[in-house]
Amino acid sequence: MTVTTDRMQRPPAERRWAGDLARLREQDQAPRPPGWQLSLDAAKRFIVGDEKLGVARKFVGDVSLVDRALVTLATTRGLLLTGEPGTAKSLLSELLAAAVSGDSGLTVQGGAATTEDQIRYGWNYALLVSEGPSQRSLVPAPMLRGMRDGKIVRFEEITRCPLEVQDSILSLLSDRVLAVPELGEMVYAVEGFNVIATANTRDRGVNEMSAALKRRFNFETVFPIPDLTAELALVQAEAETLLRRSGVPQAPPRDVLEVLVTTFRELRSGSTVAGDPLDRMSAVLSTAEAVSVAHAVGLRGWYLRGEAGDAADIVHCLAGTAAKDDPDDLARVRRYLEQQVPRKSGRAWKALHDARFQLPG
């Protein structure tokens, strides 16, 4: 069954911004790397925006990082995006794949249970038993499809995979060939094929990559958004989009979202805007987490009271974000609400302080 974009909870980048891609393709006269849908310049503008063409900015971060990532993908080295959780590594990976290949769907989700079959290829065992190895019984996985079709393959959270599974892509990255010994065939990568992997720095040491695999990648670190105004604008835009898809006609007021984003930034950095030290949270209070809380605040306000969410709703939604691994994080949030919030001025800050008793525990 075909699902229309407007019914998808989260459409892929190439469908969500199909209009932007079409406009850029129409006017793109620059040279394109072999197998690419867009030139490097047009691919960059798809990601960071182009006001003249009405192309929205989709990634809020270092523009030079986007340049370096695109250049890497035009070479025969893979691209590894590292950084703290929630810094939009996966979004950037998706946008890069959509810009280069027009398809971000060739994705491997790394994890402890990921197998080589899910990365390279597997078999339809009913056909395999009845017919033996054949093209009909072969089930191509993202790597084989990406090599055969000349497209970008995304490998999310590669360091969550066992080492032997990670190393199954060594020959794909170095020799650009995948052997299918059961059929006596070799699949050679077509122009346009490359790999974008992501890895969280919090996962360092879980399954450290081998030196051989590291040599096949260029590493780029995606840092948290340094500017409050830019992060607030991103959280507001993303929350409005999510809330519309959830049937909520209005987002929380801007001053409420400013309180939310400021709270996250201060607890994340261990310092207030004024420079006062705080107990730094062990939980990752990322921009992505702030978007999720803003979404929950809007849902809570609309479906429980028929109005936009307010600062008191932030307190109700904070616990599930803040207290994940370390039980002391909830105490840190409580101290912040009791000691730091009263020093701030504004209606929304006062509402946040008044609601501090709603924090569970």
Side-chain angles (χ1 to χ4, degrees):
M1 182 180 71
T2 302
V3 180
T4 59
T5 300
D6 61 346
R7 294 190 60 201
M8 293 181 181
Q9 287 191 331
R10 190 187 183 282
E14 61 272 17
R15 294 187 64 171
R16 182 177 177 184
W17 291 293
D20 287 357
L21 287 170
R23 282 193 294 276
L24 287 164
R25 277 195 295 266
E26 287 172 4
Q27 62 82 50
D28 189 14
Q29 301 298 319
R32 304 178 186 182
W36 282 37
Q37 301 290 308
L38 295 172
S39 65
L40 266 74
D41 178 65
K44 173 185 173 180
R45 286 184 286 138
F46 172 68
I47 295 169
V48 303
D50 184 331
E51 291 185 6
K52 291 182 179 178
L53 283 180
V55 174
R57 182 169 189 171
K58 303 163 187 70
F59 174 71
V60 179
D62 184 3
V63 175
S64 64
L65 165 63
V66 178
D67 283 333
R68 295 193 301 271
L70 288 166
V71 170
T72 293
L73 292 175
T75 71
T76 55
R77 291 177 66 83
L79 171 67
L80 181 63
L81 301 173
T82 69
E84 288 282 314
T87 50
K89 297 182 297 299
S90 294
L91 173 63
L92 179 56
S93 166
E94 180 184 2
L95 292 170
L96 288 165
V100 171
S101 303
D103 182 1
S104 62
L106 295 180
T107 305
V108 177
Q109 179 57 58
T114 304
T115 64
E116 288 189 34
D117 289 359
Q118 296 168 323
I119 298 171
R120 294 154 62 98
Y121 63 88
W123 300 95
N124 180 321
Y125 285 102
L127 289 173
L128 185 65
V129 169
S130 63
E131 301 178 358
S134 66
Q135 286 293 343
R136 214 161 76 90
S137 58
L138 182 72
V139 179
M143 286 296 175
L144 189 150
R145 292 171 58 195
M147 295 177 71
R148 183 186 61 197
D149 300 338
K151 292 184 176 181
I152 298 293
V153 178
R154 301 166 55 209
F155 201 140
E156 293 291 314
E157 299 187 86
I158 189 171
T159 52
R160 302 298 300 176
C161 296
L163 289 175
E164 60 273 16
V165 174
Q166 294 180 31
D167 284 347
S168 69
I169 66 172
L170 276 172
S171 63
L172 313 185
L173 290 171
S174 56
D175 301 326
R176 289 343 222 204
V177 63
L178 190 159
V180 187
E182 297 89 344
L183 299 179
E185 294 183 2
M186 306 287 278
V187 177
Y188 294 92
V190 174
E191 295 286 5
F193 166 73
N194 212 330
V195 176
I196 307 173
T198 64
N200 287 327
T201 50
R202 292 287 181 111
D203 290 339
R204 185 168 293 161
V206 175
N207 289 300
E208 186 68 26
M209 295 172 66
S210 67
L213 186 56
K214 287 180 179 179
R215 288 196 299 271
R216 270 76 174 177
F217 283 101
N218 280 348
F219 283 58
E220 292 289 349
T221 301
V222 184
F223 293 100
I225 300 172
D227 181 60
L228 170 62
T229 303
E231 186 172 10
L232 175 58
L234 175 63
V235 170
Q236 183 171 11
E238 290 298 311
E240 287 174 350
T241 299
L242 291 171
L243 286 167
R244 279 196 303 271
R245 292 189 174 277
S246 299
V248 179
Q250 56 185 327
R254 185 175 176 83
D255 63 338
V256 171
L257 294 178
E258 185 171 357
V259 164
L260 169 63
V261 173
T262 302
T263 297
F264 269 54
R265 291 175 66 87
E266 292 186 340
L267 288 171
R268 181 171 69 216
S269 65
S271 174
T272 67
V273 174
D276 298 324
L278 298 172
D279 288 336
R280 187 174 181 177
M281 301 281 288
S282 63
V284 179
L285 295 179
S286 64
T287 304
E289 296 274 12
V291 170
S292 295
V293 172
H295 185 201
V297 166
L299 288 170
R300 181 181 176 85
W302 181 253
Y303 285 116
L304 292 184
R305 301 188 305 275
E307 58 189 35
D310 58 30
D313 291 312
I314 296 175
V315 177
H316 289 279
C317 300
L318 260 178
T321 299
K324 292 182 177 178
D325 301 317
D326 186 350
D328 291 337
D329 275 345
L330 207 56
R332 295 183 180 105
V333 173
R334 186 173 289 107
R335 283 196 295 274
Y336 177 81
L337 295 176
E338 292 174 350
Q339 299 173 10
Q340 298 298 330
V341 172
R343 303 179 183 181
K344 302 177 185 293
S345 60
R347 178 193 62 82
W349 285 109
K350 183 178 185 306
L352 185 71
H353 180 252
D354 290 344
R356 66 191 183 281
F357 301 110
Q358 302 299 323
L359 196 68

